[in-house]
């Protein structure tokens, strides 16, 4: 384990201005906070964050990153909070530690192989600052190095699988090949122990037979290059069992057929020397056509630069050779991390964000598909990622709520949702989700989307589905009213009305479904007489226009008017026979008949007022009611039933207020007179469906 002064010295070596006191404080803090916690290896827990910090010094990262590495497990595994860290180490470190803690959440997610690619994207999206990702990768690398200490084989397998599926590809994505290879190697050993053992044994055999071939070949290369006057470093290695295994399975070949199991690196000082060295190698040994690649003049999308070639060594052995400068080498092996570190040291650019680095790489990209991939990552910055309890991942725009999530999972789930648990806690449906939330939608029987949801949902799918459902519900309720009214209409035709009669009526009316007819009746889009004619053509032939049920009972006469003077019942107060009434004669117009307490009378203060009475046989007028019903299925139909039982025709129905769990309607109904109107109000008030009923 790195000692405190060693860690500080390492940082000082590449950053002489580093804040030594802060490093010391962070070192002591992690030791104190993790206290007597132990690793599976039996080591004190704090050895882990300290080693991770050491890995970060290898990448020559800034002090904040080193401190973040030291503190990366304190929030998750000790009582320390992000606020504590902010207090002791400042906002930036707190934000970085919080980022790493959030990334760790993903490890608690249930395994879901199909989601692996999604999880990688999730990690990228979460890594607003590349340093968060770098600490997380180093954390994982160190955990893999110490994986063998974990006793539970299932846990070892799970961690190894996760490393292979998520972290190694992620390391590759950001160009950290060194981390990628080591992660793959360690995970392979755990996941395919038999294959690993076989390949490792064969390599051992080869080594015994040829005796230190790698070193001998490296020396030969170095001599040849030195003779040509080139000052270079040459390193050689056997390929790791995992990459040999990969070749075997990719090319469907046996171990014997995998010939290039050795790889060499020639490291030069200058770019020109790279090409010079390549020339020497190609002249001295036979090279394999088609295997040469120049990634110096045309770097890979992630910034990787090197020359690649394969040589035949002593006519039998194929070896791979990579030629590059020191700087290219460092950048190649540590990718964005190196890129970032170089930038920091330049100090010319100050804080370089993860996105900007990415954009630079994208700019250098020639590959359309990869470009798209990178662009997508940028797009993720304004998206959030949330999970179902089973681990399925959903991407939503920032600001999305639990309702948006429900509709994203499935329209039916959205339609049935009544509540949500976010990260295990009951939360309101309007709650905005954060990255990494686990959202469990609670379904309710007979639940219906609410109009008010439109006030907070952000996704088009949720919006459209809610609108459709609300419209449909309204239509259903109007149709339910229509159905009650229809029964009273059907009772008045001289025939028994069954399904067949209705089907024929629909044909005559040019409608498709019984529901269409009921809706038309409920919404007063069709008169009673039209319905009767459709049911039994000709049955209303002897009716006067006034014979129609809803109108034939109307007969209004007003006493107190000069004979022959026209009048009208005011629309504002809807007087019905029995009300005390007043006439208002405006210049040149018909006399308006108002109830005596109508507020509109105030507008006619300068006009002539007439003291009026209803004629003795007056009956039939439109009364206006306000009815508030409980907002649950069937209540509107029940209300309509009350009107139908009292033989009252509803001429209009308007929803005026939706205040869960109540809905208020304004209803115009044709009544005989005031007692009739009073009776219907009482009948409505007696209904279980009705919360309140009043004449307006
Ligand atoms: Mn850790």
């Amino acid at each position: 384990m790195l000692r405190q002064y060693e860690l500080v010295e390492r940082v000082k070596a590449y950053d002489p201005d580093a804040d030594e006191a802060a490093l010391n404080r962070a070192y002591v803090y992690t030791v104190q906070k993790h206290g007597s916690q132990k690793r599976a290896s039996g080591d004190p827990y704090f050895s882990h964050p300290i080693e991770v910090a050491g890995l970060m010094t290898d990448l020559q990262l800034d002090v904040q990153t080193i401190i973040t590495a030291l503190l990366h497990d304190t929030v998750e595994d000790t009582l320390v909070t992000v606020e504590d860290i902010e207090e002791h180490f400042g906002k930036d470190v707190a934000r970085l530690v919080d980022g790493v803690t959030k990334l760790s959440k993903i490890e608690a997610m249930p395994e879901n192989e199909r989601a692996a690619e999604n999880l990688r994207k999730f990690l990228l999206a979460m890594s607003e600052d590349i340093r968060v990702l770098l600490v997380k990768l180093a954390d994982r690398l160190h955990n893999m190095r110490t994986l063998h200490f974990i006793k539970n084989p299932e846990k070892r397998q799970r961690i190894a699988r996760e490393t292979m599926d998520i972290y190694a590809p992620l390391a590759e994505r950001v160009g950290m090949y060194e981390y990628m290879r080591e992660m793959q190697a360690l995970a392979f050993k755990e996941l395919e122990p038999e294959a690993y053992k076989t390949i490792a044994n064969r390599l051992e055999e080869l080594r015994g037979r040829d005796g230190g071939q790698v070193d001998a070949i490296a020396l030969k290369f170095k001599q040849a290059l030195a003779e040509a006057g080139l000052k270079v470093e040459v390193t050689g290695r056997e390929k790791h069992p995992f990459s040999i295994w990969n070749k075997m399975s990719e090319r469907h070949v046996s171990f014997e057929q995998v010939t290039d199991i050795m790889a060499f690196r020639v490291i030069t000082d200058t770019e020109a020397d790279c090409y010079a060295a390549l020339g020497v190698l190609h002249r001295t040994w036979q090279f394999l056509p088609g295997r040469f690649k120049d990634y110096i003049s045309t770097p890979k999308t992630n910034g990787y630069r090197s020359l690649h070639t394969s040589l035949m060594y002593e006519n039998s052995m194929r070896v791979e050779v990579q030629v590059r400068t020191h700087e290219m080498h460092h950048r190649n092996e540590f990718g964005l991390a190196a890129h970032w570190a170089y930038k920091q040291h330049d100090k010319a650019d100050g804080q370089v964000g993860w996105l900007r680095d990415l954009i630079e790489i994208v700019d250098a990209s020639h590959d359309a598909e990869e470009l798209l991939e990178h662009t997508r990552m940028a797009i993720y910055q304004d998206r959030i990622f949330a999970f179902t309890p089973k681990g399925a991942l959903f991407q939503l725009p920032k600001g999305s709520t639990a309702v948006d999530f429900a509709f994203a999972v499935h329209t039916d789930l959205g339609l049935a949702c009544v509540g949500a648990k976010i990260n295990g806690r009951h939360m309101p449906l309007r709650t905005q989700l954060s990255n990494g939330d686990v959202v469990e939608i609670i379904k309710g029987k007979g639940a219906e989307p609410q109009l008010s949801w439109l006030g907070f949902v952000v996704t088009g799918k949720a919006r459209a589905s809610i609108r459709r459902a609300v419209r449909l519900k309204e239509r259903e309720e109007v149709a339910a009213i229509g159905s009650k009214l229809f029964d009273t209409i059907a009772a008045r035709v001289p025939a028994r009305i069954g399904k067949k009669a209705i089907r024929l009526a629909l044909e005559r009316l040019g409608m498709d479904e019984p529901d269409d007819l009921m809706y038309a009746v409920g919404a007063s889009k069709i008169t009673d007489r039209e319905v009767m004619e459709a049911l039994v053509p000709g049955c209303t032939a002897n009716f006067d226009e006034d014979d129609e049920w809803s109108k034939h009972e109307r007969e209004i006469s007003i006493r107190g008017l000069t004979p022959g003077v026209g009048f009208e019942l005011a629309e504002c107060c809807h007087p019905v026979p029995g009300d005390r009434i007043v006439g208002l004669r405006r210049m040149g117009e018909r006399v308006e008949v108002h109830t005596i307490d109508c507020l509109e009378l105030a507008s006619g203060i300068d006009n002539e007022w007439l003291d009026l009475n209803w004629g003795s046989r007056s009956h039939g007028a439109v009364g206006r009611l306000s009815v508030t019903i409980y907002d649950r299925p069937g209540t509107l139909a029940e209300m309509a039933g009350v009107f139908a039982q009292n033989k009252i025709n509803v001429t209009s129905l308007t929803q005026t207020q939706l205040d869960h769990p109540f809905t208020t309607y304004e209803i115009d109904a044709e009544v005989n007179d005031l007692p009739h109107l009073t009776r219907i109000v009482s009948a409505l008030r007696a209904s279980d469906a009705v919360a309140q009923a009043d004449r307006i």
Side-chain angles (χ1 to χ4, degrees):
M1 185 179 76
L2 269 181
R3 287 161 200 253
Q4 191 170 338
Y5 73 90
E6 287 172 324
L7 182 72
V8 173
E9 271 175 13
R10 279 210 205 181
V11 179
K12 284 285 206 184
Y14 62 83
D15 183 4
D17 301 334
D19 184 349
E20 211 171 308
L23 282 170
N24 281 319
R25 266 191 295 126
Y27 191 104
V28 173
Y29 194 82
T30 200
V31 168
Q32 278 176 351
K33 295 301 173 185
H34 286 294
S36 57
Q37 291 173 351
K38 288 265 189 295
R39 298 271 290 170
S41 60
D43 287 338
Y45 192 91
F46 54 73
S47 65
H48 163 68
I50 290 169
E51 290 303 327
V52 175
L55 285 167
M56 295 285 90
T57 64
D58 291 339
L59 299 180
Q60 308 202 344
L61 294 174
D62 67 334
V63 172
Q64 287 184 335
T65 313
I66 309 298
I67 294 177
T68 301
L70 286 170
L71 305 178
H72 81 268
D73 275 332
T74 53
V75 173
E76 217 185 354
D77 295 339
T78 76
L79 297 175
V80 170
T81 65
V82 175
E83 288 74 30
D84 294 337
I85 290 187
E86 181 169 344
E87 193 184 312
H88 288 91
F89 301 98
K91 243 195 173 72
D92 287 345
V93 170
R95 185 176 49 82
L96 291 170
V97 171
D98 189 40
V100 180
T101 307
K102 278 186 180 150
L103 284 194
S104 303
K105 262 192 193 170
I106 205 157
E107 283 158 31
M109 298 302 308
E111 197 175 354
N112 185 338
E113 283 211 39
R114 282 172 311 138
E117 177 59 20
N118 280 338
L119 294 182
R120 279 198 292 277
K121 288 176 183 166
F122 170 64
L123 284 166
L124 284 169
M126 300 277 288
S127 312
E128 282 157 20
D129 190 314
I130 186 171
R131 292 175 293 175
V132 170
L133 188 62
L134 297 179
V135 172
K136 187 65 212 165
L137 289 173
D139 171 47
R140 176 48 61 123
L141 181 60
H142 185 252
N143 283 336
M144 286 305 292
R145 285 180 182 175
T146 52
L147 184 68
H148 57 280
F149 288 117
I150 292 175
K151 292 204 178 64
N152 179 347
E154 276 156 30
K155 190 173 174 194
R156 280 202 314 267
Q157 284 269 327
R158 183 178 61 76
I159 294 172
R161 169 63 44 209
E162 218 173 60
T163 303
M164 196 65 111
D165 289 346
I166 300 168
Y167 291 96
L170 197 56
E172 182 183 19
R173 181 68 57 83
V174 296
M176 299 185 66
Y177 290 102
E178 187 79 29
Y179 275 32
M180 174 197 78
R181 274 194 296 268
E182 192 176 345
M183 283 180 183
Q184 284 174 338
L186 293 163
F188 175 64
K189 197 169 165 180
E190 181 62 42
L191 294 171
E192 303 284 351
E194 289 304 316
Y196 175 84
K197 222 182 286 168
T198 312
I199 296 172
N201 285 344
R202 300 300 295 272
L203 285 171
E204 189 64 36
E205 268 175 46
L206 274 180
R207 234 172 273 142
R209 205 173 63 207
D210 300 329
Q213 277 274 35
V214 172
D215 290 345
I217 296 172
L219 192 65
K220 278 262 161 59
F221 285 165
K222 195 165 180 171
Q223 282 166 352
L225 292 164
E227 277 166 28
L230 289 165
K231 194 173 134 275
V232 297
E233 277 172 32
V234 179
T235 56
R237 62 188 170 92
E238 268 167 6
K239 291 216 173 141
H240 196 275
F242 177 69
S243 61
I244 294 172
W245 162 261
N246 242 355
K247 282 225 165 85
M248 285 165 64
S249 36
E250 262 170 32
R251 298 188 201 155
H252 304 286
V253 295
S254 68
F255 181 83
E256 280 71 21
Q257 289 168 291
V258 178
T259 48
D260 38 0
I261 56 171
M262 275 180 272
F264 296 85
R265 276 201 192 111
V266 177
I267 313 277
T268 69
D269 288 336
T270 68
E271 197 175 303
D273 284 356
C274 290
Y275 291 100
L278 184 78
V280 172
L281 293 173
H282 279 186
R283 279 195 301 275
T284 316
W285 288 275
Q286 189 197 337
F287 68 95
L288 295 156
R291 298 292 300 273
F292 169 68
K293 293 207 174 71
D294 182 355
Y295 292 120
I296 290 181
S297 62
T298 310
K300 287 191 187 179
T301 318
N302 59 16
Y304 178 93
R305 300 178 79 201
S306 185
L307 299 174
H308 286 190
T309 191
S310 289
L311 303 175
M312 285 301 274
Y313 187 81
E314 295 184 347
N315 295 325
S316 59
M317 208 182 307
R318 276 155 57 156
V319 297
E320 279 185 12
V321 183
Q322 301 170 346
V323 188
R324 53 182 71 170
T325 66
H326 285 284
E327 190 187 324
M328 285 175 201
H329 180 56
H330 191 66
R331 290 194 185 221
N332 288 348
E333 295 310 292
F334 297 107
L336 276 183
H339 197 68
W340 198 88
Y342 277 111
K343 281 246 158 153
Q344 280 296 294
H345 295 163
D346 289 347
K347 298 267 184 202
D349 213 2
Q351 285 295 320
V352 179
W354 150 240
L355 252 180
R356 281 191 48 201
D357 283 350
L358 205 54
I359 288 164
E360 273 177 41
I361 289 169
V362 171
D363 283 344
S365 162
H366 301 283
D367 180 333
E369 201 180 310
E370 281 210 40
L371 181 82
L372 195 66
E373 190 60 29
H374 287 303
T375 319
R376 268 193 222 121
M377 280 191 264
I379 290 168
Y380 296 149
Q381 302 297 318
D382 52 9
R383 317 226 94 204
I384 55 138
F385 292 74
F387 296 90
T388 66
K390 282 184 180 162
L393 180 74
F394 288 87
Q395 258 191 64
L396 297 161
K398 261 193 184 142
S400 288
T401 62
V403 171
D404 291 296
F405 182 84
F407 277 103
V409 174
H410 199 283
T411 305
D412 289 345
L413 186 63
L415 292 174
C417 74
V418 292
K421 276 187 183 177
I422 299 174
N423 302 324
R425 285 182 52 205
H426 267 288
M427 299 293 274
L429 280 171
R430 60 168 59 239
T431 309
Q432 294 198 350
L433 303 178
S434 306
N435 250 328
D437 279 347
V438 179
V439 186
E440 181 186 345
I441 297 297
I442 300 157
K443 291 199 281 185
K445 229 177 148 187
E448 286 164 342
Q450 302 300 311
L451 204 59
S452 58
W453 292 357
L454 290 175
F456 58 77
V457 297
V458 302
T459 53
K461 184 174 182 192
R463 190 168 291 280
S465 305
I466 293 166
R467 281 225 182 90
R468 197 179 313 120
V470 168
R471 262 205 309 272
L472 210 67
K473 180 188 163 197
E474 264 176 24
R475 192 187 156 86
E476 260 171 33
E477 293 187 338
V478 171
I481 292 176
S483 174
K484 297 274 185 190
L485 296 174
F486 176 83
D487 290 345
T488 67
I489 297 170
R492 289 161 56 214
V493 299
R496 268 182 56 89
I497 301 302
K499 277 186 183 152
K500 189 180 166 202
I502 292 177
R503 208 186 62 232
L504 290 169
L506 288 175
E507 269 173 35
R508 291 182 191 117
L509 292 166
M511 294 177 177
D512 294 331
E513 298 289 329
D515 252 14
D516 297 339
L517 174 59
M518 300 313 161
Y519 174 77
V521 172
S524 305
K525 289 187 188 303
I526 182 171
T527 67
D528 294 1
R529 190 168 180 165
E530 285 168 327
V531 176
M532 291 163 81
E533 276 296 318
L535 288 170
V536 181
C539 77
T540 65
N542 299 328
F543 283 24
D544 284 340
E545 201 50 41
D546 283 350
D547 271 351
E548 198 168 326
W549 177 66
S550 60
K551 287 174 187 154
H552 78 289
E553 288 178 11
R554 178 178 293 183
E555 181 182 335
I556 301 285
S557 63
I558 303 282
R559 284 185 287 152
L561 283 177
T562 319
V565 169
F567 68 90
E568 63 188 358
L569 302 180
E571 290 281 324
C572 44
C573 51
H574 289 281
V576 302
D579 283 326
R580 291 190 57 198
I581 46 175
V582 166
L584 195 63
R585 178 151 44 191
R586 300 188 204 260
M587 205 50 126
E589 287 180 30
R590 297 203 289 178
V591 172
E592 294 169 19
V593 178
H594 292 265
T595 60
I596 198 152
D597 49 3
C598 178
L599 295 172
E600 270 298 303
L601 285 174
S603 72
I605 201 105
D606 296 330
N607 298 99
E608 187 183 356
W609 288 36
L610 304 169
D611 192 11
L612 301 179
N613 283 300
W614 298 94
S616 59
R617 294 192 309 156
S618 288
H619 55 210
V622 174
R624 179 164 287 179
L625 303 170
S626 165
V627 183
T628 301
I629 63 169
Y630 293 98
D631 195 5
R632 54 171 194 255
T635 50
L636 191 49
E638 212 173 311
M639 177 184 78
V642 175
F643 283 103
Q645 279 154 23
N646 286 278
K647 295 223 175 243
I648 288 178
N649 194 18
V650 171
T651 59
S652 104
L653 175 102
T654 317
Q655 196 184 69
T656 54
Q657 219 181 329
L658 215 166
D659 189 9
H660 192 73
F662 301 112
T663 311
T664 301
Y665 294 92
E666 193 178 274
I667 297 168
D668 287 347
E670 290 182 335
V671 295
N672 290 334
D673 48 21
L674 186 59
H676 192 191
L677 183 59
T678 310
R679 204 162 65 235
I680 178 73
V681 170
S682 309
L684 285 167
R685 285 179 181 162
S687 163
D688 283 342
V690 175
Q692 207 179 333
D694 294 291
R695 184 176 176 200
I696 302 175

